[in-house]
Amino acid sequence: MKKFFLIGFLLVAHAMAGQTIHVGAKHFNEGYILSEIIAQLLESEGFTVERHYNLGGTLVCFEALRNRAIDVYPEYSGTLTAEILKEPNMEYASMNAALQERYGLEVSAPYGFNNSYALVCTRDFSKRTKILSIVDLKNLPLLKIGISYEFLKREDGWENLAKKYALPQKAVGLEHGLAYQALTENKIDITDAYSTDGEISRYGLVVLKDDQHFFPAYQATSLYQKDLDARAKKILSRLDGQIDELAMQAMNAEVLYQKKTFAEVAASFLSKKLKISSQLTKTNSVATEVLAKTGTHLLLTFSALLAAILFAVPLGIWLYWKPRVANGILYLTGLLQTIPSIALLAIMIPVFGIGTWPAIVALFLYALLPILRNTLAGLRSVDPIVKKVADGIGMTRFQKLKWVELPLAMPMLLTGIRTAAVINVGTATLAAFIGAGGLGEFIVTGFALNNTSLILRGAIPAALLAILIEIGFTLLEKAWVPKHLRGSK
Amino acid sequence: MVELTDVSHGYGGQEVLTNLNIRFEENKITAIIGKSGSGKSTLLQLINGLLRPAKGQVAVFNQPLNYDQTTSLRLRMGYMVQGTGLFPHLTIAQNIAIAGKIRDNSKPGARVNELMELVGLPARYQTKYPYELSGGEQQRVGICRALYLNPPLLLMDEPMGALDPITRQDIQQEIVKLQRLAPRTMLLVTHDMREAKKLADFILVLDQGKVQQFDSASIVISEPSTQAVRDLINASLDS
């Protein structure tokens, strides 16, 4: 009997230790650091943590959480009220209640800092133009205002801000990681920033006063499933009120300017504040990491491409035989092509979750049109006299297809597949936004940290892959198509 | 050999061939002649089963056409079209031997050499592609391809329509020679009465889908039965 209790106890202990919690992170500096703090904190208490970083913005993170692809990620109260609940002026407590009621989600108490949106300019510029607050912008209609894409589109973003303050300027969108550089090089005068950005102290920027209190509070906190393990919730609550704005700015700056890893910054915070020592896994060498990510990239690209070939080529043949439905189907696949990649990836989450599968499905959809269209066009371009002869001398429909129509359509078909492959190598870099990995991880993280060498670490192998694909297909065409029938190159 | 009984056919409500009753003689060359739109190509497609008559019956090799087995039937009919219709991605040898591949997936054999020699093509052409040959040479390849399985029936849809006069004469002589060596039933669609006179034993004149005259070549030319036949003779022989 004792034995049974012992075994039972061991099983329970094992189950608790082995429980896996999926932690998500938005693709920007602070998001990575906070997620890493959460992850290490949970690990120190015996949980197994799976990290899903680089998720593409609020939309992807929130969808992933709702669909239980992740269990917890750091979010801001202002984002939750304005973007998710659409009630910008909600109090923290009623926000928590609304989240529980509408989505089955819950937040912990705030970490203690407010990372509000803010408009910033250089100190020089502020002195020259005497601009100190947002109201002052009204009288200078020719200012160059460069705004991050997310801020441009948000409820609590540029459009409504401009309305409230009656600002006459037009804003242009740009990648947030590039905004500070543009600002210091005087390419733009004003940009949006987060009040905990490490860059503010580093570049000595002026934060413009929000006299009319347009920006809601952005209290950072952990957002998780309501039914998250109670012990995990309790552990997460140890972060309540532990991080103030200066601490956050300092951690951001450590990553940006002292080139520390997120894991190191998170570990030193946990050891100083909560006396927790984390086991840091040794990071791999750059070469191993590039190779591993290139491997993932190739896996994503080519499994999607292969699936698209296996689907679109037979479909193209069928449509060639059924010309009446061909245009409708082509129109539909064309429509798929017009959906922006990030939106398509986000649409996938409720069905396929996050990670490899939705990425492959999205890439598969993007590869369909070029392959389908070129298969059909290639078959249609075969000389009608040759087709007539094939019938007249006794070929069956499939013999005609195999021996005459497909070989003659091959140059166009290969061009379609090549186009799809190159599109896929490029689009696969975006797959990082839904946690599918690949070379895009370098690029996304590099943008978040404004780290050019990191961006290049992803961009150069991706470009090389595209070139290799071009070469590969040229060789394939040489092998499969007689010289006088080769269309291109 | 080939017989049409009460055959009518049309496209989209318009009749192209009306009430044909024709029996083609075995081992003879019959020229099917008429202006464009007279229905002569449609007639050929009815015989090899590419088209199914709206009315009436087509019999080939003394049996009504079985439309479920047209492909095996077509292997017993050689087929030549205007502009050769050679497969551009296949070598000359592969083009000539394609009927063997269709029948039993066989590779080009000694028969290729034999045929090329017969029509005066050098053996080294076997590995060339069609685009490397002149129009006349391509047409000879077309003849070889049609004869590969030694079919008892040969259908020719204006095979010399795109050739210059000198090459055309050469090919015509080639056909006369082949017929002397081993007679077979040939149906030759043309719009050229001189070609018909030179090659054919019989002439079938079509106009607007109806038979104008069907008789031995000499009689059609010496005693045209209708104005349409006279016009065709005058248009071809005077120029």
Side-chain angles (χ1 to χ4, degrees):
Chain A
M1 201 62 187
K2 261 186 191 168
K3 223 178 190 174
F4 281 112
F5 274 119
L6 189 64
I7 290 173
F9 175 77
L10 282 176
L11 278 176
V12 170
H14 180 78
M16 285 187 70
Q19 193 176 351
T20 303
I21 294 189
H22 298 261
V23 176
K26 282 194 198 178
H27 63 116
F28 72 106
N29 201 27
E30 194 167 293
Y32 297 129
I33 295 171
L34 292 171
S35 297
E36 189 57 32
I37 289 175
I38 292 177
Q40 289 185 16
L41 182 59
L42 289 167
E43 277 172 342
S44 75
E45 294 288 340
F47 286 94
T48 308
V49 171
E50 239 178 76
R51 292 162 169 80
H52 303 269
Y53 292 179
N54 288 319
L55 299 182
T58 305
L59 178 65
V60 174
C61 268
F62 191 77
E63 279 298 309
L65 187 67
R66 265 182 79 185
N67 294 285
R68 295 181 177 275
I70 56 176
D71 300 306
V72 54
Y73 80 95
E75 188 50 284
Y76 299 90
S77 59
T79 306
L80 286 169
T81 52
E83 292 294 302
I84 306 294
L85 300 169
K86 311 279 181 205
E87 291 180 47
N89 301 316
M90 237 180 196
E91 295 292 319
Y92 199 88
S94 38
M95 172 188 88
N96 203 1
L99 283 170
Q100 296 193 28
E101 188 189 328
R102 288 189 217 168
Y103 299 107
L105 302 176
E106 198 180 335
V107 287
S108 61
Y111 296 148
F113 69 89
N114 181 25
N115 183 359
S116 160
Y117 268 108
L119 292 188
V120 296
C121 60
T122 61
R123 193 169 294 153
D124 249 19
F125 180 83
S126 167
K127 266 189 201 147
R128 215 159 9 96
T129 54
K130 304 217 167 8
I131 287 179
L132 286 170
S133 76
I134 299 176
V135 183
D136 301 335
L137 300 177
K138 205 156 76 176
N139 305 320
L140 296 164
L142 294 179
L143 288 179
K144 285 172 287 178
I145 298 186
I147 294 293
S148 68
Y149 291 110
E150 181 161 6
F151 187 66
L152 205 55
K153 296 268 177 279
R154 293 173 68 99
E155 281 290 307
D156 56 347
W158 172 257
E159 213 170 283
N160 289 328
L161 174 78
K163 226 178 265 169
K164 177 138 186 172
Y165 279 95
L167 301 180
Q169 298 89 353
K170 280 262 175 296
V172 288
L174 81 174
E175 177 61 40
H176 184 62
L178 302 175
Y180 292 109
Q181 204 180 339
L183 203 61
T184 49
E185 288 171 3
N186 292 321
K187 298 227 169 68
I188 54 175
D189 303 319
I190 306 278
T191 191
D192 62 301
Y194 305 110
S195 55
T196 53
D197 274 358
E199 287 92 342
I200 292 177
S201 56
R202 147 106 180 190
Y203 293 110
L205 300 179
V206 174
V207 178
L208 300 185
K209 272 193 218 107
D210 178 19
D211 308 300
Q212 300 181 22
H213 302 289
F214 172 78
F215 293 119
Y218 283 83
Q219 304 276 356
T221 181
S222 305
L223 176 64
Y224 42 72
Q225 309 285 350
K226 195 177 165 186
D227 57 12
L228 182 73
D229 183 272
R231 209 165 63 89
K233 283 189 197 176
K234 194 149 176 271
I235 293 165
L236 289 174
S237 74
R238 291 168 65 185
L239 294 172
D240 298 353
Q242 290 300 313
I243 312 173
D244 61 17
E245 265 137 57
L246 283 178
M248 197 63 239
Q249 268 182 17
M251 285 196 278
N252 282 331
E254 273 175 60
V255 171
L256 284 173
Y257 305 115
Q258 297 170 30
K259 301 291 173 203
K260 292 194 182 164
T261 65
F262 308 120
E264 286 164 358
V265 172
S268 85
F269 167 83
L270 286 173
S271 90
K272 266 186 279 176
K273 268 282 178 192
L274 302 179
K275 310 286 176 235
I276 289 169
S277 60
S278 324
Q279 293 282 324
L280 289 188
T281 45
K282 245 187 111 216
T283 46
N284 296 319
S285 74
V286 171
T288 334
E289 226 182 320
V290 168
L291 273 181
K293 290 200 167 44
T294 305
T296 311
H297 208 86
L298 283 174
L299 179 79
L300 291 174
T301 305
F302 278 94
S303 47
L305 188 68
L306 191 69
I309 293 170
L310 291 178
F311 183 77
V313 172
L315 181 63
I317 292 167
W318 185 73
L319 292 180
Y320 169 64
W321 287 337
K322 302 259 182 265
R324 271 185 209 172
V325 285
N327 283 341
I329 303 270
L330 269 183
Y331 178 75
L332 274 180
T333 34
L335 213 62
L336 280 176
Q337 212 76 12
T338 65
I339 303 175
S341 330
I342 288 289
L344 186 61
L345 290 172
I347 294 170
M348 297 283 144
I349 295 174
V351 193
F352 299 101
I354 56 173
T356 308
W357 279 109
I360 289 178
V361 172
L363 293 174
F364 163 80
L365 291 176
Y366 279 125
L368 285 183
L369 181 67
I371 300 177
L372 185 63
R373 194 166 46 194
N374 278 36
T375 303
L376 199 53
L379 289 170
R380 281 175 175 171
S381 72
V382 175
D383 183 354
I385 289 189
V386 168
K387 293 181 196 172
K388 188 171 151 189
V389 170
D391 288 329
I393 63 178
M395 286 191 196
T396 62
R397 198 191 226 196
F398 287 97
Q399 287 173 333
K400 179 167 76 163
L401 182 71
K402 188 170 145 199
W403 293 337
V404 180
E405 290 168 321
L406 275 180
L408 289 173
M410 193 53 78
M412 273 188 124
L413 211 158
L414 282 178
T415 305
I417 295 174
R418 165 161 51 184
T419 307
V422 172
I423 289 178
N424 268 8
V425 166
T427 312
T429 55
L430 297 176
F433 280 137
I434 50 169
L439 292 166
E441 254 178 41
F442 286 131
I443 299 176
V444 173
T445 318
F447 268 119
L449 302 185
N450 200 10
N451 180 336
T452 313
S453 85
L454 203 54
I455 295 173
L456 290 179
R457 211 176 286 172
I460 290 174
L464 285 179
L465 281 185
I467 293 170
L468 279 179
I469 284 172
E470 288 284 342
I471 294 172
F473 274 93
T474 309
L475 292 178
L476 213 59
E477 198 177 20
K478 261 189 188 157
W480 284 359
V481 182
K483 198 173 176 189
H484 61 284
L485 295 174
R486 280 174 217 154
S488 54
K489 289 163 211 169
Chain B
M1 186 60 173
V2 177
E3 190 165 4
L4 286 80
T5 315
D6 291 327
V7 166
S8 294
H9 192 72
Y11 306 102
Q14 205 180 351
E15 204 146 76
V16 178
L17 290 172
T18 311
N19 213 22
L20 299 189
N21 284 288
I22 308 166
R23 195 173 166 279
F24 294 102
E25 288 295 323
E26 195 161 351
N27 292 341
K28 299 291 181 195
I29 301 181
T30 302
I32 301 165
I33 189 164
K35 292 182 289 192
S36 49
S38 61
K40 49 195 197 302
S41 286
T42 304
L43 177 57
L44 225 52
Q45 288 174 298
L46 284 169
I47 292 169
N48 75 3
L50 280 176
L51 294 175
R52 200 171 178 153
K55 218 186 91 206
Q57 180 190 284
V58 179
V60 181
F61 306 128
N62 305 319
Q63 285 195 340
L65 269 187
N66 178 352
Y67 291 93
D68 298 327
Q69 289 179 1
T70 45
T71 54
S72 65
L73 193 77
R74 284 180 202 141
L75 289 174
R76 297 169 66 201
M77 309 178 195
Y79 188 58
M80 289 170 68
V81 292
Q82 176 168 357
T84 79
L86 295 182
F87 299 118
H89 60 300
L90 300 181
T91 62
I92 299 305
Q94 287 169 331
N95 260 288
I96 292 174
I98 191 73
K101 184 165 172 138
I102 297 169
R103 188 184 57 183
D104 51 19
N105 215 5
S106 62
K107 295 233 168 352
R111 174 82 175 148
V112 173
N113 274 321
E114 192 184 304
L115 285 166
M116 286 176 75
E117 209 176 303
L118 191 67
V119 299
L121 287 170
R124 65 189 158 84
Y125 278 15
Q126 284 199 26
T127 52
K128 286 184 182 291
Y129 285 100
Y131 81 102
E132 297 173 282
L133 272 57
S134 72
E137 289 168 336
Q138 289 187 27
Q139 199 54 258
R140 286 164 204 266
V141 175
I143 295 175
C144 293
R145 179 171 67 181
L147 296 181
Y148 188 73
L149 294 181
N150 202 13
L153 174 61
L154 191 55
L155 306 178
M156 297 183 280
D157 193 351
E158 304 210 40
M160 286 155 274
L163 297 177
D164 63 84
I166 294 170
T167 315
R168 177 186 290 228
Q169 264 190 354
D170 287 350
I171 300 290
Q172 285 167 348
Q173 271 159 13
E174 211 64 68
I175 291 172
V176 171
K177 187 178 97 186
L178 287 170
Q179 186 67 347
R180 216 175 35 232
L181 284 173
R184 72 190 79 222
T185 311
M186 293 195 199
L187 305 183
L188 169 72
V189 164
T190 179
H191 58 268
D192 181 357
M193 192 58 95
R194 271 184 303 182
E195 189 166 280
K197 186 184 169 192
K198 189 165 178 181
L199 294 178
D201 303 300
F202 294 90
I203 294 179
L204 167 65
V205 183
L206 284 177
D207 192 61
Q208 294 180 357
K210 296 196 178 84
V211 175
Q212 301 293 311
Q213 193 170 9
F214 183 27
D215 217 322
S216 73
S218 53
I219 289 179
V220 170
I221 289 165
S222 58
E223 301 167 28
S225 64
T226 67
Q227 188 58 39
V229 182
R230 265 191 293 280
D231 288 349
L232 266 175
I233 293 172
N234 291 339
S236 298
L237 299 185
D238 291 354
S239 60

